[in-house]
């Protein structure tokens, strides 16, 4: 199953017809630059190309009022002066005679993508569209946006494909307030947005973009805002936001579909965002999202105004959708203090609504009655007590694992080699650490006891080093390692290594044997281990 790329060249038709420094950045070259990038890297050719269709007026009506749709229909016949006058009624918007057509294609592209993914024609995909959509509201254009393609796609996914839970990830650098308003009381759509905020000194200057806007009524906790209060946020900040805010909530929400409001004005070089994240970061973010909803990720272009940065970031995202490994992230992986403050404030604001945030004193201690003021069963804790305990434990383990990853993202040692005496003469490449330390004697003897093959001194010495290496891998000191062990002890050593890894709380363990090796017997088959 592959990746869809939905596009129509008519979407380059709309353009600004008068002077307006605020709007001129939303130009047709945005689409052509992104598409050329994909073609040059051979990525377009690897996708299933779909030609975008226009959304019907009934489909627009899933989100927008009939009067607003009629108003937009009318813009097709207006002259430049009338278009400019009408544009002035909205904040940061321009209309062109082709705007209605383009905006309908943008919505249609998003719907086609959702249909392709939900019918299983493809696993995931990207709709390359303009105008963008996430600022547009039931009866208002805003911030270059005319129809809210992603919001319509979410309603469509529920209505036409019977979905119950849709996650919208809005990584555009602006707050998608339009999307927030549309779903603020709807618990079936979890809306996550990070955005440049600067304590409300950045457009659109809204109080409701802050972390304490968490939704309303039934939708409490299903709006998640992460405001960046400084410019210059980079790879470490974005990864930390995903690891510490979005992913815990998304795992708990368990979406059936992920829609991405994929704006790339959050990337380095963008004049609007002034952020520092490199294009590679979007490959990593995309990869992280693919662990959700069985990989059903539908991305729809929103902003992104630095043509080169936009094109590179789009390519990174498509590469990740295609399943290519993500290039390493550059720069020191240390989040900014201001980013950690923002992350902490969203976690605190959301903690009353999400079990996964209720560990580690992230939230003020709340009594159960605070979570459910009317005394009705809390909508946030819908499961039985055993499941709750298990889920809490899992989330605690995940959370502490993520903390370690974040504190020590690049292990100090890239590769360590644990050798036994006769191999020690090998010349190792520079930067490879020769690991000579060993686990504690009691520990290795305890592990070795059930195995005859580990009774020999040489085998036991090797085992001690393997166990030590394993510890350093698990605590993040070492990224990868190689260990030698005497041939007769290989199976026994592997058996111990597997048990040891599982007992240290590894969630998944893949064991690949090159050559003949028997599957260690009597290992409990709890789904954490794959031997191939
Ligand atoms: N210098 C999207 O990215 N102008 N819309 C802000 C601040 C409006 C952005 C002015 C920006 C709208 C989809
Ligand atoms: Zn934007």
């Amino acid at each position: 199953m592959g990746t869809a790329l939905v596009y129509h060249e008519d979407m380059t038709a709309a353009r600004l017809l008068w002077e307006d420094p605020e709007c001129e950045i939303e130009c047709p070259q945005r689409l052509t630059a992104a598409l050329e990038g994909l073609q040059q890297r051979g990525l377009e050719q690897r996708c299933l190309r779909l030609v975008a269709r226009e959304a019907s007026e009934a489909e627009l009506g899933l989100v927008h009022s009939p009067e607003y749709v009629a108003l937009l229909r009318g813009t097709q016949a207006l002259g430049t002066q009338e278009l400019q006058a009408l544009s002035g009624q909205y904040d940061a918007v321009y209309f062109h005679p082709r705007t209605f057509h383009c905006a309908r294609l943008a919505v249609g592209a998003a719907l086609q993508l959702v249909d392709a993914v939900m019918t299983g024609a493809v696993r995931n995909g990207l709709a390359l569209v303009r105008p963008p959509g996430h600022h547009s509201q039931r009866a208002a254009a805003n911030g270059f946006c005319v129809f809210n393609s992603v919001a319509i796609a979410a309603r469509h996914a529920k209505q036409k494909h019977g979905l119950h839970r849709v996650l919208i990830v809005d990584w555009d650098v602006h707050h998608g307030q339009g999307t927030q308003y549309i779903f603020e009381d709807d618990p079936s759509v979890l809306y996550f947005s990070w955005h440049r905020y600067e304590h409300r000194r950045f457009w659109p200057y809204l109080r409701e973009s802050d972390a304490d806007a968490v939704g309303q009524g039934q939708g409490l906790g299903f709006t998640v805002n992460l405001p960046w209060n400084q410019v210059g946020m980079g790879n470490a900040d974005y990864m930390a936001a995903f690891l510490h805010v979005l992913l815990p909530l998304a795992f708990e929400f368990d979406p059936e579909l992920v829609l991405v409001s994929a704006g790339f004005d959050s990337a380095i070089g963008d004049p609007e965002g002034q952020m520092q994240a490199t294009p590679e970061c979007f490959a990593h973010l995309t990869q992280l999202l693919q662990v959700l909803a069985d990989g059903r990720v539908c991305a729809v272009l929103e902003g992104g105004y630095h043509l080169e940065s936009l094109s590179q970031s789009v390519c990174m995202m498509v590469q990740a959708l295609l399943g290519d490994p993500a290039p390493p992230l550059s720069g020191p992986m240390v989040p900014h203090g201001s980013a950690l403050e923002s992350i902490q404030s969203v976690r605190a604001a959301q903690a009353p609504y999400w079990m996964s945030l209720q560990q580690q004193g992230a939230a003020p201690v709340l009594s159960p009655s605070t979570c459910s003021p009317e005394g009705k069963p809390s909508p946030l804790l819908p499961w039985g007590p055993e499941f709750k305990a298990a889920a809490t434990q899992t989330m605690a383990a995940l959370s502490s694992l993520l903390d370690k990853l974040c504190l020590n993202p690049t292990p100090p040692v890239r590769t360590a080699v644990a050798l036994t005496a006769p191999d020690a003469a090998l010349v190792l490449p520079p930067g490879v650490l020769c690991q000579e330390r060993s686990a504690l004697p009691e520990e290795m003897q305890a592990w070795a006891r059930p195995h005859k093959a580990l009774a020999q001194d040489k085998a036991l010495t090797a085992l001690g080093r393997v166990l030590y290496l394993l510890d350093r891998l698990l605590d993040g000191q070492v990224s990868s390692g190689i260990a030698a062990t005497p041939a007769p002890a290989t199976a026994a050593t592997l058996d111990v290594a597997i048990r040891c890894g599982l007992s240290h709380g590894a969630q998944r363990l893949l064991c690949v044997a090159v050559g003949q090796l028997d599957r260690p017997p009597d290992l409990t088959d709890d789904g954490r281990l794959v031997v191939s």
Side-chain angles (χ1 to χ4, degrees), residues 132 134-135 143-144 170-175 203 263-266 270 272 302-305:
H134 71 151
H135 297 302
F144 315 152
D170 188 338
W171 71 40
D172 186 283
V173 86
H174 301 97
H175 181 215
W203 190 90
F264 296 98
D265 41 16
S266 46
D270 192 279
E272 276 289 307
E302 300 277 2
Y305 307 101

Side-chain angles (χ1 to χ4, degrees), residues 75-197:
T75 61
Q76 298 177 101
L78 298 182
T80 304
Q81 285 195 347
E82 296 161 302
L83 288 168
Q84 187 170 2
L86 184 63
S87 302
Q89 313 253 310
Y90 300 102
D91 185 8
V93 168
Y94 69 88
F95 294 118
H96 178 279
R98 301 297 274 158
T99 290
F100 183 62
H101 176 56
C102 289
R104 281 177 68 174
L105 284 174
V107 176
L111 298 181
Q112 258 176 306
L113 178 56
V114 165
D115 289 340
V117 166
M118 291 316 303
T119 58
V122 291
R123 183 189 314 290
N124 57 36
L126 170 67
L128 265 188
V129 303
R130 59 185 287 275
H134 71 151
H135 297 302
S136 96
Q137 300 151 37
R138 178 172 162 78
N142 181 279
F144 315 152
C145 300
V146 177
F147 297 131
N148 197 318
S149 308
V150 166
I152 296 169
R155 291 249 161 97
H156 171 87
K158 288 181 55 189
Q159 193 184 78
K160 285 274 144 60
H161 300 283
L163 300 193
H164 300 100
R165 290 177 312 282
V166 177
L167 169 65
I168 297 177
V169 178
D170 188 338
W171 71 40
D172 186 283
V173 86
H174 301 97
H175 181 215
Q177 87 278 35
T179 310
Q180 172 168 316
Y181 299 153
I182 292 161
F183 297 113
E184 60 193 353
D185 58 5
D186 185 346
S188 68
V189 177
L190 174 57
Y191 176 66
F192 170 88
S193 172
W194 66 34
H195 33 269
R196 179 172 171 189
Y197 189 59

Side-chain angles (χ1 to χ4, degrees), residues 494 498 509-513 517-520 523 529-532:
L494 184 63
I498 290 171
L509 211 152
L510 173 67
C511 174
V512 180
L517 191 74
D518 293 327
R519 187 187 198 286
L523 269 172
L529 178 63
V530 176
V531 182
S532 63

Side-chain angles (χ1 to χ4, degrees), residues 416-420 435-439 443-444 447 454 458-474 481-486 489-490 492-498 500-501 504:
V417 178
L419 298 171
T420 42
Q435 185 65 263
E436 287 176 19
R437 300 188 58 177
S438 180
E443 191 195 343
M444 57 198 240
W447 282 111
L454 293 172
K458 257 177 67 180
L460 198 60
T461 308
L463 179 72
R465 291 181 182 181
V466 171
L467 291 175
Y468 185 83
L469 182 56
L470 207 54
D471 265 333
R472 297 294 75 79
L473 286 164
L474 289 167
I482 305 170
T485 187
T490 308
T493 305
L494 184 63
D495 178 75
V496 171
I498 290 171
C500 182
H504 280 61

